[in-house]
Amino acid sequence: MTLIALNNLTKKYGGVIANNDITFKVDKGEIHALLGENGAGKSTLVKMIYGLVQPDIGTMMLDGESFAPTDPRASRVRGIAMVFQHFSLFEALSVAENIALGMENPPKTDALSNQIRDVSLKYGLMLDPNRLVGNLSVGERQRVEIIRCLLQDPKLLIMDEPTSVLTPQEVDALFTTLRRLRDEGTSILYISHKLEEIRTLCNRATILRHGKVIGICIPKNETAKSMAEMMVGSKLKTPQKTITNFGLPLLIVKDLSLRSTDPFGTSLKDITFTIRAGEVMGVAGVAGNGQDELMLALSGEVLTKANSIQLEDNFIGQTGPVERRLQGLLTAPEERLGHAAAPEMNLSENTLISGFQRQKLGRRGFVNKLGAAAFAEKIIEKFDVRTISVGSAAKSLSGGNLQKFVMGREILQDPKVFIVNQPTWGVDAAAAAFIRQALLELALGGAGVLVISQDLDELMEISDTFTVISEGRLSAPRPIKGVTTETIGLLMGGSKKI
Amino acid sequence: MIRLEPRTNPSQAMIILTPILAVLATMVVGGILFVTLGKNPFEAIRMIFWDPLLGEHAFYYRGQILVKAAPLIMIALGLSFGFRAGIWNIGAEGQFIMGAVIGGATGLALYPLNSFIVFPLMIVMGALGGFLWAMIPAFLKIRFNANEILVSLMLVYVAFNFLIGMVTGPLRNPDGFNFPESRSFQDFPAAHNPELWAGTGIHLGVLSTLGFVILAYIMITRHIFGFNVRLAGQAPRAAKFAGVSPNKMIAICLGLSGALAGMAGLFEVTGPAGKLTTTFPLGYGFTAIIVAFLGRLHPIGILLAGLLMAVTYVGGDIIQSQLSLPKASIQVFQGMLLFFLLAVDVLVNFRLRISKRNSK
Amino acid sequence: MDISIVSLLATLIVAATPILLAATGELIVEKSGVLNLGVEGMMIIGAICGFIAAVNTDSPLIGFIVAALAGAALSLLFAVLTQYLLANQVASGLALTLFGLGLSALLGHRYSGIRPPSSPKMEWFGMAELPVVGPIFFNHDMMVYFSIFLVLMVWVFLKFTRGGLVLRAVGENHDAAHALGYKVIRIRILAIMFGGACAGMGGAYLSLVRVPQWTEGMTAGAGWIALAIVVFASWKPWRLILGAYLFGGVTILQLNLQANGFDMPVSYLSMAPYLVTIVVLVIMSSDRTRASLNAPASLGKIFHASS
């Protein structure tokens, strides 16, 4: 029996087609997985079901009746509940109070607390209604969100990457709860990229890639390999580079471990790798697996044990960003506006952020304004940045152009080691090609380059060595030549087998 | 429905226009206020803004303007760096008092030593007193994440009570008549801060202020510290990326504003005030916050805003005597000025859009 | 020593009432996530407007009502600036204080030296005749009891009502509250106006009962003390009473000691409440597991509605 049917759903954002003619069904009493890499179109699809966005083309049917919600409330009224990846909780308030706030007409506190206790016992989601949310672990907080949904008696429960913040024990507890719900007739739409979990838990899986439905399968009948192939696509670009001779090791990272201060962050565990002169190492991975934390540790914004990170002969784990730049380690973070560049400042001033000391854009603390402007001009010229002048505010540039500026700012400083996170996200094809070429030339010139990216084609094209970051751990780096889609899918899916 | 739409580039025209708009709006609304009180609005506005500068007795008033403007500007300069970085020192009044007390006490301890070293030493101690007083909220913020607005504010009252304790006790003038006040600095030439040219009101504090304006200008426009302060306020993640240490920033900004406020206190107590008394603090520490905002946290702006505020203070005295209005009524003008500036300031980064409601 | 403990305590309660009123209002404002430094300005506007109304209608009750309205009206200026025009809260609050001080001086310059209509003491079935507790607790005017009642109402509101829950949520995490569909700006404006009304009544208490007279600048920093009391009380309503009485008590004690010839130690005694407030603040802030904190997490942050 079909609960919800999606027919030919299409959604465009500007020139990008996020969802392209999507059709599939979720049955009653089913746990249905929605599988795909980042950018495959999962979140857009789910937003349409939940009423956050409306489709351009296509229709939906819920319980045999037309379904076209214009806001989340309309969805909730029809029985759709969603647990987001990032919770909307109030730390100084109790569990019961948090749940009451998320409900339309909550019952009185005592009655509500009793309801919470009942649900929590019934589904194995142990929670004390009177505890303050701020005192709960992340796993427990997720339970608050889930109970909040369950009290609305939903027909369809959507869960977005729920296990990324859970311990293995908590994952087991969650699965027990979900199976219980399914057996009672609630449907669950389970968004994930973790193949092993999907095989254990889900009845069916719909696989998306580049906005289209690639296939619908029964996970139990598939192997992780076959699902990985569907997810990643067998038409992957063949690795471009052949093994070359690399120079001396430039960056040696050994057993780098770091606890994340953000409760939603990922802690790094025993990260070990070496980058040699002339080598490009590609790090693949789904967002939220420790990339940000790794960047902060490598750039010096977060300090680690001194000998965790070694640049040539020096242990730099305890040195800050300025000192690392002077020694030749440069980085470019993922977030352009607000992190790599100051949105309100102009391009000339933005060169000072990373270039003041290394590019000698000043003397005795005084800024050499002409020098900074000249450097900005040079970046604009060499990296084809389309902007009115060096006096334009950084936020006035398009994403692609700002990215070119940021990359140019670092690359033109002639780093020994360059680390970049998502070098071409949100960048048009021409600019992306330009940036990749610049990275290759940097390596040819003898620098060591680390590229963290979610774009596998990109990594195939430019990497010499390949590794995957998953849940804060790095797989053993290997030459790009032997890497297959199966390997990638498995590594990204969290398999420990390789 | 009137909506605010963000601009891609801050409007340069508005940055210049908004203070002028604010002053004009204040004059208009202020004029209306005077009409309701039964006074001639044009006359009143003239008394506040024109007479102090170019009126009949302006030669006397102009000196007063500089005397009042100097401490306001000196304190506001120090505050502006912290404000730009998002560090809110509301306790400048307390740092002002501590500078006066500690610097003044140093001098009084040396009485009647007549050496050229006395006054410079007092200046240093005054700056140190303010600096240390400001380092309390700095330390508590760095170590315990305590809100600096509330801590620095509480310390104003502590400082004020400390002043009372001092002038009724250890610092009470032994040759006086048992009043709660210190020895007058005018009786102690080595520690006195006199008017350098009669009638101008210019004392060493005024000259120092001018020097600080220039220094602050150079600092904010040309030095990497000025850049870092602006960066920390606008884009904290980028500041960390650039290698700016948030703790160092807190310490430097609070310390700097404390030192300048303390110095201003020292100049004030050894000059225009003349001695430490229980009524010596005049609220400069709070008014300086307003001057900082009026001046858009820019040294030149602060210089102009400080002068403008001082003019309104003097104008307030004039309307008090000429129109028999209470002295405090000038604060209506000053408050309005800041209100209007804050209100029109939004136009720098946002555009007004009047649109019809969408029907769903 | 000519200090009667009984009269001291009775005077203490009267002295504490204006700051208790103002602090109660500011507690609600801060619980919604807004820091309004303009309490002093709102108090003094209430003082003069209440005074003028009471004198002209010969009714202190009307005086208090007008004072509440005036305080709320003035706070609306602050509300519009900070919630719609996204102006800096610190600067806006200070502007409010300055403006209020000046405007009140202007409005009141013809009212000095006038006696307002007196506020009658409430009758508690002759309990005022009881020894010791009688004069301390049962011999006050209506507003003293109203201020306690207000604290009770605020406590009930915050702890037991949906409105109070939503207010706390807004102050705790305005983004999450917005995501859940609550009107953050509207709630904050209502909170700000409530704070203004309470501060206005607190100021009117000074001019109508405590002194009772109008003088320029008569609040003399009471607004700043009210701000301190909110922190001292860790944003918990009942502790406001403790804080108000502590601060008020110290002031009264200091005046009495001074009148009896004790000079020096007194000013150090006056420092005590402020130092204690700092210590309380440090203890609360340093607890990084914030759940034990009562300070609204959004306090002072500007809300950008991403609709």
Side-chain angles (χ1 to χ4, degrees), chain B residues 320-339:
Chain B
Q320 179 196 17
S321 56
Q322 304 262 11
L323 295 176
S324 40
L325 285 172
K327 191 165 179 170
S329 46
I330 195 62
Q331 289 171 320
V332 179
F333 264 77
Q334 293 164 339
M336 264 201 286
L337 192 55
L338 187 56
F339 268 141

PDB file of all heavy atoms in Angstrom, chain B residues 320-339:
ATOM      1  N   GLN B 320      20.302  77.854  29.479  1.00  0.00           N
ATOM      2  CA  GLN B 320      19.886  77.826  30.873  1.00  0.00           C
ATOM      3  C   GLN B 320      19.795  79.252  31.407  1.00  0.00           C
ATOM      4  O   GLN B 320      18.825  79.628  32.062  1.00  0.00           O
ATOM      5  CB  GLN B 320      20.874  77.018  31.708  1.00  0.00           C
ATOM      6  CG  GLN B 320      20.482  76.989  33.167  1.00  0.00           C
ATOM      7  CD  GLN B 320      21.617  76.545  34.060  1.00  0.00           C
ATOM      8  OE1 GLN B 320      22.785  76.556  33.659  1.00  0.00           O
ATOM      9  NE2 GLN B 320      21.282  76.151  35.258  1.00  0.00           N
ATOM     10  N   SER B 321      20.834  80.038  31.123  1.00  0.00           N
ATOM     11  CA  SER B 321      20.830  81.386  31.696  1.00  0.00           C
ATOM     12  C   SER B 321      19.902  82.314  30.931  1.00  0.00           C
ATOM     13  O   SER B 321      19.221  83.131  31.517  1.00  0.00           O
ATOM     14  CB  SER B 321      22.249  81.947  31.740  1.00  0.00           C
ATOM     15  OG  SER B 321      22.816  81.913  30.447  1.00  0.00           O
ATOM     16  N   GLN B 322      19.832  82.161  29.602  1.00  0.00           N
ATOM     17  CA  GLN B 322      19.064  83.122  28.818  1.00  0.00           C
ATOM     18  C   GLN B 322      17.585  82.783  28.746  1.00  0.00           C
ATOM     19  O   GLN B 322      16.726  83.644  28.680  1.00  0.00           O
ATOM     20  CB  GLN B 322      19.613  83.158  27.379  1.00  0.00           C
ATOM     21  CG  GLN B 322      21.079  83.467  27.296  1.00  0.00           C
ATOM     22  CD  GLN B 322      21.306  84.929  27.003  1.00  0.00           C
ATOM     23  OE1 GLN B 322      20.372  85.726  27.066  1.00  0.00           O
ATOM     24  NE2 GLN B 322      22.550  85.276  26.703  1.00  0.00           N
ATOM     25  N   LEU B 323      17.267  81.498  28.695  1.00  0.00           N
ATOM     26  CA  LEU B 323      15.872  81.130  28.520  1.00  0.00           C
ATOM     27  C   LEU B 323      15.286  80.497  29.772  1.00  0.00           C
ATOM     28  O   LEU B 323      14.170  80.001  29.754  1.00  0.00           O
ATOM     29  CB  LEU B 323      15.727  80.135  27.351  1.00  0.00           C
ATOM     30  CG  LEU B 323      16.083  80.665  25.965  1.00  0.00           C
ATOM     31  CD1 LEU B 323      15.983  79.544  24.930  1.00  0.00           C
ATOM     32  CD2 LEU B 323      15.154  81.800  25.568  1.00  0.00           C
ATOM     33  N   SER B 324      16.052  80.525  30.816  1.00  0.00           N
ATOM     34  CA  SER B 324      15.700  79.890  32.088  1.00  0.00           C
ATOM     35  C   SER B 324      15.104  78.500  31.890  1.00  0.00           C
ATOM     36  O   SER B 324      14.042  78.165  32.379  1.00  0.00           O
ATOM     37  CB  SER B 324      14.766  80.760  32.927  1.00  0.00           C
ATOM     38  OG  SER B 324      13.800  81.391  32.141  1.00  0.00           O
ATOM     39  N   LEU B 325      15.816  77.711  31.133  1.00  0.00           N
ATOM     40  CA  LEU B 325      15.469  76.299  30.993  1.00  0.00           C
ATOM     41  C   LEU B 325      16.458  75.498  31.829  1.00  0.00           C
ATOM     42  O   LEU B 325      17.587  75.919  32.018  1.00  0.00           O
ATOM     43  CB  LEU B 325      15.573  75.863  29.526  1.00  0.00           C
ATOM     44  CG  LEU B 325      14.444  76.320  28.603  1.00  0.00           C
ATOM     45  CD1 LEU B 325      14.784  75.987  27.185  1.00  0.00           C
ATOM     46  CD2 LEU B 325      13.138  75.679  29.021  1.00  0.00           C
ATOM     47  N   PRO B 326      16.042  74.351  32.315  1.00  0.00           N
ATOM     48  CA  PRO B 326      16.984  73.585  33.139  1.00  0.00           C
ATOM     49  C   PRO B 326      18.208  73.134  32.347  1.00  0.00           C
ATOM     50  O   PRO B 326      18.135  72.868  31.152  1.00  0.00           O
ATOM     51  CB  PRO B 326      16.166  72.375  33.603  1.00  0.00           C
ATOM     52  CG  PRO B 326      15.007  72.333  32.678  1.00  0.00           C
ATOM     53  CD  PRO B 326      14.754  73.703  32.194  1.00  0.00           C
ATOM     54  N   LYS B 327      19.316  73.040  33.058  1.00  0.00           N
ATOM     55  CA  LYS B 327      20.577  72.691  32.416  1.00  0.00           C
ATOM     56  C   LYS B 327      20.510  71.318  31.744  1.00  0.00           C
ATOM     57  O   LYS B 327      21.068  71.099  30.687  1.00  0.00           O
ATOM     58  CB  LYS B 327      21.673  72.664  33.489  1.00  0.00           C
ATOM     59  CG  LYS B 327      23.059  72.570  32.961  1.00  0.00           C
ATOM     60  CD  LYS B 327      24.038  72.929  34.073  1.00  0.00           C
ATOM     61  CE  LYS B 327      25.461  72.811  33.573  1.00  0.00           C
ATOM     62  NZ  LYS B 327      26.419  73.343  34.491  1.00  0.00           N
ATOM     63  N   ALA B 328      19.804  70.416  32.382  1.00  0.00           N
ATOM     64  CA  ALA B 328      19.773  69.044  31.860  1.00  0.00           C
ATOM     65  C   ALA B 328      19.013  68.944  30.546  1.00  0.00           C
ATOM     66  O   ALA B 328      19.061  67.927  29.865  1.00  0.00           O
ATOM     67  CB  ALA B 328      19.160  68.109  32.893  1.00  0.00           C
ATOM     68  N   SER B 329      18.297  70.009  30.178  1.00  0.00           N
ATOM     69  CA  SER B 329      17.471  69.890  28.976  1.00  0.00           C
ATOM     70  C   SER B 329      18.312  69.716  27.724  1.00  0.00           C
ATOM     71  O   SER B 329      17.825  69.221  26.716  1.00  0.00           O
ATOM     72  CB  SER B 329      16.533  71.084  28.827  1.00  0.00           C
ATOM     73  OG  SER B 329      17.225  72.285  29.060  1.00  0.00           O
ATOM     74  N   ILE B 330      19.598  70.096  27.789  1.00  0.00           N
ATOM     75  CA  ILE B 330      20.427  69.918  26.597  1.00  0.00           C
ATOM     76  C   ILE B 330      20.615  68.440  26.289  1.00  0.00           C
ATOM     77  O   ILE B 330      20.867  68.043  25.147  1.00  0.00           O
ATOM     78  CB  ILE B 330      21.793  70.618  26.782  1.00  0.00           C
ATOM     79  CG1 ILE B 330      22.491  70.753  25.438  1.00  0.00           C
ATOM     80  CG2 ILE B 330      22.689  69.852  27.732  1.00  0.00           C
ATOM     81  CD1 ILE B 330      21.742  71.594  24.438  1.00  0.00           C
ATOM     82  N   GLN B 331      20.418  67.605  27.329  1.00  0.00           N
ATOM     83  CA  GLN B 331      20.571  66.180  27.103  1.00  0.00           C
ATOM     84  C   GLN B 331      19.499  65.641  26.164  1.00  0.00           C
ATOM     85  O   GLN B 331      19.695  64.617  25.508  1.00  0.00           O
ATOM     86  CB  GLN B 331      20.553  65.425  28.438  1.00  0.00           C
ATOM     87  CG  GLN B 331      21.811  65.673  29.234  1.00  0.00           C
ATOM     88  CD  GLN B 331      21.725  65.119  30.630  1.00  0.00           C
ATOM     89  OE1 GLN B 331      20.712  65.200  31.304  1.00  0.00           O
ATOM     90  NE2 GLN B 331      22.804  64.520  31.068  1.00  0.00           N
ATOM     91  N   VAL B 332      18.371  66.365  26.090  1.00  0.00           N
ATOM     92  CA  VAL B 332      17.349  65.968  25.131  1.00  0.00           C
ATOM     93  C   VAL B 332      17.935  66.043  23.725  1.00  0.00           C
ATOM     94  O   VAL B 332      17.766  65.142  22.904  1.00  0.00           O
ATOM     95  CB  VAL B 332      16.107  66.890  25.220  1.00  0.00           C
ATOM     96  CG1 VAL B 332      15.077  66.473  24.203  1.00  0.00           C
ATOM     97  CG2 VAL B 332      15.530  66.838  26.601  1.00  0.00           C
ATOM     98  N   PHE B 333      18.628  67.132  23.466  1.00  0.00           N
ATOM     99  CA  PHE B 333      19.252  67.313  22.172  1.00  0.00           C
ATOM    100  C   PHE B 333      20.293  66.242  21.895  1.00  0.00           C
ATOM    101  O   PHE B 333      20.326  65.653  20.816  1.00  0.00           O
ATOM    102  CB  PHE B 333      19.929  68.694  22.122  1.00  0.00           C
ATOM    103  CG  PHE B 333      19.070  69.713  21.499  1.00  0.00           C
ATOM    104  CD1 PHE B 333      18.032  70.257  22.210  1.00  0.00           C
ATOM    105  CD2 PHE B 333      19.272  70.095  20.191  1.00  0.00           C
ATOM    106  CE1 PHE B 333      17.210  71.186  21.617  1.00  0.00           C
ATOM    107  CE2 PHE B 333      18.454  71.027  19.605  1.00  0.00           C
ATOM    108  CZ  PHE B 333      17.418  71.576  20.316  1.00  0.00           C
ATOM    109  N   GLN B 334      21.145  66.009  22.891  1.00  0.00           N
ATOM    110  CA  GLN B 334      22.205  65.040  22.687  1.00  0.00           C
ATOM    111  C   GLN B 334      21.636  63.647  22.461  1.00  0.00           C
ATOM    112  O   GLN B 334      22.087  62.907  21.591  1.00  0.00           O
ATOM    113  CB  GLN B 334      23.154  65.051  23.898  1.00  0.00           C
ATOM    114  CG  GLN B 334      23.906  66.352  24.006  1.00  0.00           C
ATOM    115  CD  GLN B 334      24.537  66.550  25.369  1.00  0.00           C
ATOM    116  OE1 GLN B 334      24.138  65.939  26.344  1.00  0.00           O
ATOM    117  NE2 GLN B 334      25.537  67.414  25.420  1.00  0.00           N
ATOM    118  N   GLY B 335      20.604  63.323  23.260  1.00  0.00           N
ATOM    119  CA  GLY B 335      19.971  62.018  23.080  1.00  0.00           C
ATOM    120  C   GLY B 335      19.332  61.895  21.709  1.00  0.00           C
ATOM    121  O   GLY B 335      19.457  60.885  21.017  1.00  0.00           O
ATOM    122  N   MET B 336      18.646  62.966  21.287  1.00  0.00           N
ATOM    123  CA  MET B 336      17.986  62.966  19.979  1.00  0.00           C
ATOM    124  C   MET B 336      19.005  62.806  18.871  1.00  0.00           C
ATOM    125  O   MET B 336      18.791  62.083  17.897  1.00  0.00           O
ATOM    126  CB  MET B 336      17.231  64.284  19.774  1.00  0.00           C
ATOM    127  CG  MET B 336      15.774  64.197  20.132  1.00  0.00           C
ATOM    128  SD  MET B 336      14.857  65.499  19.327  1.00  0.00           S
ATOM    129  CE  MET B 336      15.348  66.904  20.302  1.00  0.00           C
ATOM    130  N   LEU B 337      20.115  63.492  19.018  1.00  0.00           N
ATOM    131  CA  LEU B 337      21.157  63.428  17.996  1.00  0.00           C
ATOM    132  C   LEU B 337      21.602  61.986  17.791  1.00  0.00           C
ATOM    133  O   LEU B 337      21.691  61.486  16.662  1.00  0.00           O
ATOM    134  CB  LEU B 337      22.336  64.290  18.448  1.00  0.00           C
ATOM    135  CG  LEU B 337      23.430  64.606  17.440  1.00  0.00           C
ATOM    136  CD1 LEU B 337      22.853  65.239  16.210  1.00  0.00           C
ATOM    137  CD2 LEU B 337      24.440  65.542  18.077  1.00  0.00           C
ATOM    138  N   LEU B 338      21.844  61.307  18.898  1.00  0.00           N
ATOM    139  CA  LEU B 338      22.276  59.918  18.803  1.00  0.00           C
ATOM    140  C   LEU B 338      21.166  59.031  18.244  1.00  0.00           C
ATOM    141  O   LEU B 338      21.402  58.172  17.400  1.00  0.00           O
ATOM    142  CB  LEU B 338      22.734  59.404  20.166  1.00  0.00           C
ATOM    143  CG  LEU B 338      23.376  58.009  20.158  1.00  0.00           C
ATOM    144  CD1 LEU B 338      24.552  57.954  19.213  1.00  0.00           C
ATOM    145  CD2 LEU B 338      23.806  57.603  21.544  1.00  0.00           C
ATOM    146  N   PHE B 339      19.936  59.250  18.692  1.00  0.00           N
ATOM    147  CA  PHE B 339      18.800  58.492  18.163  1.00  0.00           C
ATOM    148  C   PHE B 339      18.728  58.607  16.649  1.00  0.00           C
ATOM    149  O   PHE B 339      18.615  57.622  15.932  1.00  0.00           O
ATOM    150  CB  PHE B 339      17.479  59.043  18.717  1.00  0.00           C
ATOM    151  CG  PHE B 339      17.007  58.371  19.963  1.00  0.00           C
ATOM    152  CD1 PHE B 339      16.421  59.104  20.975  1.00  0.00           C
ATOM    153  CD2 PHE B 339      17.127  57.001  20.121  1.00  0.00           C
ATOM    154  CE1 PHE B 339      15.972  58.486  22.125  1.00  0.00           C
ATOM    155  CE2 PHE B 339      16.689  56.381  21.277  1.00  0.00           C
ATOM    156  CZ  PHE B 339      16.106  57.130  22.279  1.00  0.00           C
TER     157      PHE B 339
END
